[in-house]
Amino acid sequence: MSTEAQRAPVPPRPTTPSESSDPPPVPAADPPAPPSPAAPPSAVPGPAPESGAETTARLRPVPPAPAAPPAAVPDPAPASGPGIPPVPAQPPAATRRRPVGAVDLTPPSGAPPHPGPYVYPRPFVAPRPETPAETTTRLRPIRTRHPARTAAAAVCVVLGLGLIGGAATGAWLTSDSSADGARGAYAVGRSAWHSVPVDTLFPRTLRGDGAGPGGADRVWTRLAVAPDSGCGPALDPLLARALGPAGCERLVRATYVDATTSSVTTVGIVFTEGDAAAMKALGARFADQRLDRRTDLMPRTYPVKGTAAAGFGDRQRASWSVHVLTEVPAVVFAVSGFADGRTVTDPQPAAAAVTEGATTAAAQAGMGHEAKGIADRTERGLRRTVTDLMEKPE
């Protein structure tokens, strides 16, 4: 035997899948899909399916999808060559088999839409029991009181009470001092008729700057002073009755003549017995009832013999003024007339005779200015005198 005949046979070299002439095995499907009529005639059927049981089961039958016209794609030229079998053509998509274990989730045609994933309801949770709400809330912590702050608050309270008490006491003292002042003025004024010199009560000459008609200046000279007396014989009975509520302490009078000796005026002061309330009530009565304008309440004259006022009587009265004082217990009056003794039939109160446009004889002659001017200056002098007596040290 030769050497070559004694050698063992050499096993064949393993080949790769690309070099293998047989295609890979394709798992079988139940039942096999019939070949599509639209398959190209040049396609070569694959090898026979392998025998054996399928390891996975179909969950539900899948109806075949409607056949779609194949795309006109030319098949690649099968590889050919010596010893290489032809590659079968790829079956259409409708007849392809799914990998082992795959599930087709595509709903069948005509099936109702899937309602979606099931939503489980939330479990019932009972509400928590309510707790009573707090009615008050502390906004900030309260600091502990400091002794110094307590002492300061006490001092402020004491000072406040002191100020209030001082104000009340001052008001009380002021009211008392005012009342004492009023009582002093009334006490001094009521006794002024005999404690004050007559030239102070009735100066010898009275100057009336701007007291005449049209603002003309006036100068009056005193003719005589009547002795002090009671109110009965010197006042008209009706005027004495009107002054009765205040009482009559004493009456003093004087008569003046103007610089032209054409008019004469008698001025008087009635010192009353009433207090401040009585004088205020009397003044309010004269003002409300206009008693100072009534002709039956005109004061009487004081004629002086041997002077221009010798014929100055009740029938010569032309204008008059009566004023009730409230700060001094006194009533000041004045009555004027013509110096030639003529009779006046239409006397007019001074308040009306001094107004612009008055046409009476008394107003045209300026008798209202005479009575008002002398009465005003006598009243000012009496107030000034009482004030000086109150301020004079004892």
Side-chain angles (χ1 to χ4, degrees):
M1 180 179 294
S2 62
T3 306
E4 294 180 0
Q6 292 178 357
R7 289 180 182 176
V10 178
R13 184 177 56 90
T15 60
T16 61
S18 56
E19 296 177 355
S20 176
S21 60
D22 295 333
V26 178
D30 287 331
S36 176
S42 60
V44 179
E50 298 179 357
S51 62
E54 188 176 354
T55 59
T56 58
R58 185 182 300 274
L59 299 180
R60 57 183 175 84
V62 178
V73 180
D75 293 335
S80 60
I84 298 175
V87 179
Q90 188 72 13
T95 59
R96 294 177 185 171
R97 297 190 61 175
R98 290 183 296 276
V100 176
V103 179
D104 187 7
L105 299 180
T106 304
S109 60
H114 194 273
Y118 180 76
V119 179
Y120 291 91
R122 299 181 62 183
F124 174 76
V125 179
R128 299 177 60 185
E130 295 184 0
T131 56
E134 189 176 357
T135 56
T136 58
T137 304
R138 178 170 297 179
L139 301 180
R140 57 182 178 81
I142 300 177
R143 298 179 181 179
T144 306
R145 290 188 176 181
H146 198 276
R149 297 179 61 185
T150 304
V155 171
C156 292
V157 171
V158 172
L159 291 178
L161 294 177
L163 292 175
I164 295 174
T169 304
W172 178 67
L173 292 177
T174 302
S175 61
D176 285 352
S177 63
S178 300
D180 292 342
R183 286 193 294 268
Y186 270 68
V188 173
R190 188 171 292 114
S191 62
W193 65 272
H194 64 81
S195 61
V196 176
V198 65
D199 290 342
T200 302
L201 291 177
F202 304 114
R204 294 181 179 272
T205 302
L206 287 175
R207 301 187 63 86
D209 298 336
D217 296 338
R218 281 289 189 268
V219 177
W220 299 281
T221 304
R222 188 183 71 190
L223 295 178
V225 176
D228 59 273
S229 63
C231 296
L235 295 180
D236 185 88
L238 290 179
L239 181 58
R241 187 181 303 174
L243 298 177
C248 181
E249 177 72 20
R250 209 65 178 169
L251 171 63
V252 292
R253 295 180 295 171
T255 299
Y256 287 86
V257 66
D258 70 330
T260 62
T261 318
S262 60
S263 64
V264 290
T265 304
T266 296
V267 60
I269 303 175
V270 179
F271 292 94
T272 66
E273 299 172 349
D275 55 3
M279 296 304 296
K280 289 181 180 179
L282 183 62
R285 181 187 174 196
F286 264 74
D288 295 341
Q289 301 180 10
R290 307 186 71 177
L291 300 180
D292 56 341
R293 294 173 178 263
R294 292 176 52 174
T295 56
D296 56 348
L297 297 180
M298 279 192 299
R300 287 182 174 178
T301 65
Y302 172 58
V304 181
K305 295 181 180 180
T307 64
F312 186 37
D314 292 343
R315 300 181 63 183
Q316 283 73 39
R317 292 176 295 184
S319 185
W320 75 97
S321 172
V322 179
H323 188 205
V324 179
L325 307 184
T326 56
E327 65 275 15
V328 179
V331 178
V332 178
F333 66 86
V335 56
S336 61
F338 294 98
D340 57 4
R342 75 181 71 175
T343 302
V344 180
T345 58
D346 54 346
Q348 189 177 19
V354 298
T355 58
E356 186 178 357
T359 59
T360 61
Q364 294 293 329
M367 293 302 168
H369 291 83
E370 299 293 324
K372 185 178 183 301
I374 293 177
D376 289 347
R377 278 145 186 83
T378 303
E379 181 180 327
R380 295 174 192 171
L382 178 61
R383 287 197 180 97
R384 184 170 55 251
T385 300
V386 172
T387 302
D388 293 343
L389 290 176
M390 291 176 59
E391 296 176 355
K392 182 178 178 180
E394 298 181 357

